[in-house]
């Protein structure tokens, strides 16, 4: 939740007021947390969510393509100026479709991914994304497993580590309309 809500805060700080999200299907637990972060961030910023801004799909480039296509069919005054994708793979589909339609990523449309996949830094423009703290998550799991092996209940049964926003070039100020 905290990572995506922080991404919304960042986009709002750049002047964006029409922020969309490409999410996973409702059955996804981690996807649900990310959507909660999105709606929390919008509420905190005083932005009324437009139901057309939240589009759910699978974890692939096609889902990003389809979401971007749907957003670009909205009336101009309702089209998102910024998008948060549930994963970098979905963000890549969004970026590709937006560019095919003549939009410049980081100028006409800001895009944030999630995962900081190795290719994110090599895209043009490089993808702003949320990096999961894999090393800390692994260390916490080892500690929990060690407690269980020793016959002790783990001190924490659930642990969420907030991701870190990695700023690159796929985000910029909200376009003047």
């Amino acid at each position: 939740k905290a990572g995506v809500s922080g991404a919304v805060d960042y986009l709002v700080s750049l002047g964006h007021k029409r922020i969309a999200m490409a999410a996973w299907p409702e059955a996804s637990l981690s996807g649900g947390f990310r959507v909660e972060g999105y709606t929390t961030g919008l509420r905190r910023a005083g932005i009324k969510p437009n139901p057309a801004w939240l589009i759910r799909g699978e974890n692939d480039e096609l889902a990003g393509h389809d979401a971007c296509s749907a957003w670009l069919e909205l009336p101009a005054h309702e089209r998102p100026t910024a998008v948060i994708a549930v994963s970098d793979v979905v963000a890549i589909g969004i970026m590709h479709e937006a560019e095919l339609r003549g939009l410049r990523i980081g100028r006409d449309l800001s895009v944030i991914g999630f995962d900081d996949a190795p290719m994110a830094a090599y895209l043009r423009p490089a993808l702003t994304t949320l990096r999961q703290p894999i090393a800390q998550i692994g260390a916490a799991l080892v500690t929990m497993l060690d407690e269980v092996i020793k016959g002790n209940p783990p001190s924490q049964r659930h642990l969420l580590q907030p991701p870190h926003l990695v700023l690159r070039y796929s985000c910029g100020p909200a376009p003047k309309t």
Side-chain angles (χ1 to χ4, degrees):
K1 296 182 216 181
V4 175
S5 69
V8 171
D9 293 344
Y10 174 66
L11 292 168
V12 168
S13 78
L14 294 174
H16 294 278
K17 293 182 175 76
R18 297 190 313 258
I19 303 168
M21 181 170 191
W24 287 327
E26 287 189 40
S28 169
L29 181 61
S30 61
F33 288 135
R34 293 175 192 187
V35 170
E36 274 185 57
Y38 167 71
T39 56
T40 297
L42 291 181
R43 249 191 328 271
R44 188 170 49 231
I47 298 171
K48 183 178 183 220
N50 180 333
W53 293 345
L54 177 63
I55 296 182
R56 295 178 182 273
E58 297 304 319
N59 191 43
D60 57 27
E61 298 88 349
L62 183 59
H65 165 276
D66 291 347
C68 187
S69 293
W71 292 320
L72 293 177
E73 296 302 318
L74 293 171
H77 68 281
E78 288 183 32
R79 284 183 203 141
T81 61
V83 176
I84 299 170
V86 72
S87 72
D88 290 347
V89 172
V90 174
I92 289 168
I94 292 167
M95 291 171 68
H96 182 73
E97 180 61 19
E99 288 172 340
L100 286 176
R101 302 262 197 128
L103 297 179
R104 294 165 300 168
I105 302 301
R107 289 188 172 180
D108 303 319
L109 181 67
S110 289
V111 179
I112 296 179
F114 200 111
D115 290 327
D116 196 23
M119 75 275 205
Y122 298 101
L123 297 172
R124 291 294 165 251
L127 179 63
T128 296
T129 185
L130 288 153
R131 177 185 299 150
Q132 298 197 65
I134 301 298
Q136 292 93 326
I137 292 168
L141 287 172
V142 168
T143 300
M144 293 167 102
L145 181 60
D146 187 49
E147 289 174 359
V148 170
I149 289 171
K150 291 178 180 173
N152 301 319
S155 57
Q156 296 182 16
R157 296 186 62 73
H158 302 283
L159 179 64
L160 285 176
Q161 296 281 345
H164 168 73
L165 186 62
V166 178
L167 301 178
R168 295 196 179 108
Y169 300 103
S170 65
C171 290
K176 306 273 189 260
T177 53

